Amino acid sequence: MHKSSFTSQPASIAKLSGFLFILLIFQACKAPQQINVSPSHWYVNEEKQLAIRFADDGASAGGNFVKTDKAVADLKAFSSSTRGKHLKLKDRDGQLRKFRGRFDTVNEGFTLKRFFGRKIIFRKIEPRPYPQTPFRYRDDITTTASKLETTYGKAPGYYTSLSIEDKLHIEYSHILLQVADNIRSNLLKPELDLKLDLYYPDADPQTKRPLLLLVHGGGFIAGDKADKLEVALAQHFARKGFVVASINYRMGFVFLPGAYTNLERAMYRSVQDARAALRYLSTRSEIFRIDPEQVYIGGNSAGGFISLMAAFMEQNEVWSSARGNLLKIQSDLGCLDCSTNNETGTYTIKGVINMWGALPDIEMLDPWEKIPMLLIHGDADKVVPYDFDYPFTNVSQRLSSFFTQKVYGSLPVSRRATQFGIPAQLLTFPGEGHEPHINSDNLLTPYYDTISANMSKFIVERLTPPMPLVQGPRFVFNDSPVSLFRAERSDYKQLFWQCDGGLLLSDDSQSVRVVWFKGQQQHLLKVAGTGVNGQVGETIVEVQLK
């Protein structure tokens, strides 16, 4: 028995050795296992307070590392080698000598495990993606815009369109003849379809977009929603992510000396139509993907009048002539929101752009009406005065006084707004007259670029909430603790962080921890916020290393 047991041991050992040899050969013949790391991310070991980033060629190509126990760190290089699933890191000073072992991918990072050692855990630092340009509303987000024509209401009137832009050098007498002919043909004021052109960016996923309503000019007797300025501005803003509506409205009035009420009623009908268009669009805000709480309205010449009155005229400020007169065979035009359609959608006007228009009554501006204004006007305008005067003095002031009254141009509107604390910006074109954006050949002038740029700036400033104050060190020293920055609460949905010349160790939208690298040209902390309309705000904090 004993002899048999003794002689069987070498056989058992031989079998075991053979098995191990076969296993070794099998492992040797297996395809080498790859160690997958992201060269675009940093990995941090909290225990050793150290962060590493691999080179673009992978785990075997080395990379950079920094200590993360202080606010300022040297950016150092390391080398690395791999054998199968084993990774070894090495640096000149020996700080990484214990960073070796079997590589295993874990959630949000990796581990290194030696045979008889503890696991070394590296967490991947993965900041939320920082918003990239182009920034919606500030920059073009598309090269093309779509257009849709729709009817926003019906109302009795003379006519809704009289395009004269394609008739170069036309005389006022010819325009008046066309107006008279339109009025004579529609003396009983039949129901007219009121149409608008809707412009919007192609292939746009944003669901709540600000609305810009454009109103063409033409002295309340001419013009069209497809006039050159309206089309150019509509396409300009649609490419930036806005929804833009250019409207036609009821025009025309009977020219009689002293019968200023006829012009008043024409102006009032146009204001009713503009407000009806806003109600129509607000009611269909989900269809058109509009935010009715972010509405801007602007127009040129007569469109400037309409834009100002649509924003600032209150029901108790409506002219008595709007109520009608039996002796003059004038019907009651109804309240401000009692015409053109029965839509009930609400909206909030956040800004008004008046391009060389005016207010017929400065008392329409009240102290409690804090709607910001951009007022654009040439100070040599003889069609609509820059100051307080009769319109159409380029034809004849005496003739103009028979049909109109003095109006308040952009200068007195700006002064009254300033008096009441209403935000107002006045952009004056010295020596320029009416319609400075276009020349006698119906071509846009360089003034158009100035106008569109200032409109964009004006709207984006109101659309973009103020960025929150960022609390944290602006000067850091070698022995300073890791920099902690906090953002105050704001109207943004989310905040995002990015730094130049440093490493974000962590961020939770409202705060971030940063280690700054020595030897960098600049050290900047960038904070971007995204709003409910997709707008992006940004602030930059400069940090100096001492």
Side-chain angles (χ1 to χ4, degrees):
M1 294 288 292
H2 294 289
K3 184 176 180 180
S4 173
S5 298
F6 177 78
T7 57
S8 66
Q9 288 182 6
S12 300
I13 293 173
K15 289 180 180 179
L16 179 60
S17 298
F19 174 76
L20 292 174
F21 178 74
I22 293 171
L23 181 62
L24 181 62
I25 295 296
F26 176 75
Q27 291 291 338
C29 293
K30 286 178 65 177
Q33 294 175 297
Q34 297 295 317
I35 295 178
N36 294 317
V37 292
S38 170
S40 61
H41 288 87
W42 284 86
Y43 297 85
V44 64
N45 178 263
E46 308 285 2
E47 181 181 1
K48 300 296 183 180
Q49 295 183 303
L50 181 142
I52 65 174
R53 183 173 64 183
F54 293 95
D56 292 341
D57 293 334
S60 61
N64 297 106
F65 76 98
V66 291
K67 294 290 290 180
T68 59
D69 55 339
K70 299 294 183 183
V72 181
D74 285 309
L75 189 61
K76 297 181 178 181
F78 71 87
S79 60
S80 59
S81 59
T82 60
R83 182 168 51 86
K85 290 289 287 184
H86 284 76
L87 174 66
K88 180 181 179 180
L89 309 182
K90 186 178 180 180
D91 71 294
R92 179 181 299 178
D93 301 326
Q95 296 184 62
L96 304 181
R97 62 181 180 273
K98 293 185 179 180
F99 290 84
R100 63 183 67 183
R102 179 180 173 82
F103 179 96
D104 281 306
T105 302
V106 295
N107 291 336
E108 305 300 329
F110 67 88
T111 63
L112 293 177
K113 176 70 168 64
R114 301 179 69 179
F115 283 115
F116 301 106
R118 295 169 54 195
K119 280 185 178 181
I120 303 173
I121 302 173
F122 281 89
R123 173 180 59 85
K124 183 195 288 187
I125 299 175
E126 198 162 13
R128 290 164 302 119
Y130 194 82
Q132 299 297 310
T133 55
F135 288 163
R136 172 180 284 272
Y137 309 125
R138 190 193 74 179
D139 307 317
D140 285 359
I141 63 169
T142 182
T143 57
T144 57
S146 297
K147 186 179 82 168
L148 168 70
E149 185 182 55
T150 185
T151 300
Y152 68 88
K154 281 178 171 289
Y158 296 118
Y159 56 96
T160 64
S161 175
L162 178 57
S163 180
I164 58 173
E165 281 193 339
D166 57 345
K167 303 179 178 69
L168 301 181
H169 316 300
I170 190 170
E171 298 291 339
Y172 279 109
S173 58
H174 293 163
I175 297 174
L176 295 178
L177 286 175
Q178 291 184 49
V179 171
D181 186 59
N182 280 339
I183 291 175
R184 184 174 61 254
S185 302
N186 298 285
L187 196 57
L188 298 179
K189 295 194 284 294
E191 289 276 319
L192 304 174
D193 286 337
L194 279 300
K195 297 181 180 295
L196 61 83
D197 289 334
L198 203 67
Y199 297 78
Y200 51 91
D202 288 335
D204 183 23
Q206 183 64 35
T207 57
K208 294 186 70 174
R209 301 172 291 190
L211 170 67
L212 171 61
L213 189 80
L214 295 176
V215 191
H216 68 78
F220 301 96
I221 58 173
D224 185 79
K225 58 184 172 61
D227 283 353
K228 185 176 288 288
L229 179 61
E230 277 62 46
V231 172
L233 288 174
Q235 293 176 343
H236 170 83
F237 281 97
R239 288 194 301 267
K240 294 180 182 297
F242 292 85
V243 176
V244 186
S246 179
I247 66 167
N248 275 343
Y249 53 89
R250 288 172 288 171
M251 296 185 294
F253 60 95
V254 178
F255 293 87
L256 291 173
Y260 178 67
T261 57
N262 290 348
L263 176 57
E264 283 182 341
R265 288 170 63 83
M267 288 191 284
Y268 185 64
R269 285 192 293 266
S270 65
V271 173
Q272 287 178 312
D273 292 344
R275 292 171 66 104
L278 291 176
R279 294 195 309 273
Y280 171 88
L281 293 167
S282 173
T283 302
R284 291 156 182 79
S285 59
E286 291 188 5
I287 297 173
F288 297 133
R289 291 187 286 153
I290 290 168
D291 183 357
E293 297 303 310
Q294 286 287 347
V295 172
Y296 300 84
I297 182 171
N300 59 305
S301 193
F305 280 78
I306 297 167
S307 298
L308 288 167
M309 288 189 286
F312 293 106
M313 178 183 268
E314 297 181 330
Q315 193 59 53
N316 62 349
E317 296 167 336
V318 173
W319 299 293
S320 59
S321 59
R323 292 194 291 269
N325 187 308
L326 289 176
L327 294 178
K328 297 180 180 180
I329 320 176
Q330 293 176 340
S331 61
D332 189 340
L333 298 179
C335 73
L336 279 167
D337 295 313
C338 299
S339 179
T340 313
N341 61 42
N342 296 319
E343 307 290 356
T344 57
T346 60
Y347 54 88
T348 302
I349 296 177
K350 292 288 190 176
V352 181
I353 301 100
N354 168 46
M355 293 174 277
W356 45 95
L359 270 176
D361 185 357
I362 199 71
E363 296 298 324
M364 289 182 186
L365 281 182
D366 299 306
W368 55 85
E369 295 170 322
K370 303 298 184 184
I371 303 174
M373 287 179 282
L374 173 62
L375 308 164
I376 305 172
H377 220 131
D379 63 5
D381 194 337
K382 301 298 183 183
V383 177
V384 177
Y386 176 71
D387 204 336
F388 176 59
D389 202 349
Y390 285 104
F392 301 112
T393 56
N394 59 322
V395 178
S396 165
Q397 178 172 321
R398 185 166 179 271
L399 183 62
S400 176
S401 65
F402 287 149
F403 300 96
T404 67
Q405 293 181 355
K406 288 185 176 183
V407 295
Y408 298 83
S410 293
L411 181 62
V413 170
S414 172
R415 287 172 175 167
R416 185 171 176 90
T418 301
Q419 176 188 349
F420 289 154
I422 301 172
Q425 299 175 21
L426 177 60
L427 175 60
T428 302
F429 293 143
E432 289 298 323
H434 203 60
E435 306 281 10
H437 70 287
I438 202 164
N439 62 23
S440 58
D441 293 321
N442 200 31
L443 299 175
L444 294 175
T445 70
Y447 280 114
Y448 167 77
D449 296 325
T450 304
I451 292 162
S452 59
N454 277 271
M455 285 180 64
S456 292
K457 184 174 181 290
F458 171 78
I459 295 176
V460 169
E461 285 177 351
R462 271 125 204 99
L463 180 63
T464 308
M467 285 299 293
L469 294 175
V470 177
Q471 299 175 348
R474 269 52 175 177
F475 301 92
V476 295
F477 301 86
N478 287 339
D479 58 349
S480 298
V482 172
S483 298
L484 175 64
F485 296 90
R486 296 183 183 277
E488 295 182 355
R489 294 291 173 182
S490 68
D491 292 331
Y492 287 97
K493 289 195 307 181
Q494 293 187 80
L495 294 179
F496 300 85
W497 305 79
Q498 186 180 72
C499 69
D500 294 345
L503 167 63
L504 298 179
L505 289 178
S506 62
D507 77 85
D508 63 358
S509 183
Q510 293 300 126
S511 64
V512 67
R513 295 166 58 235
V514 183
V515 172
W516 301 102
F517 302 152
K518 291 182 181 178
Q520 304 297 303
Q521 289 187 348
Q522 58 184 4
H523 298 88
L524 304 176
L525 180 65
K526 301 177 181 179
V527 190
T530 55
V532 295
N533 304 107
Q535 64 270 58
V536 177
E538 186 178 38
T539 188
I540 298 176
V541 176
E542 183 177 3
V543 175
Q544 297 185 31
L545 274 56
K546 296 293 186 180

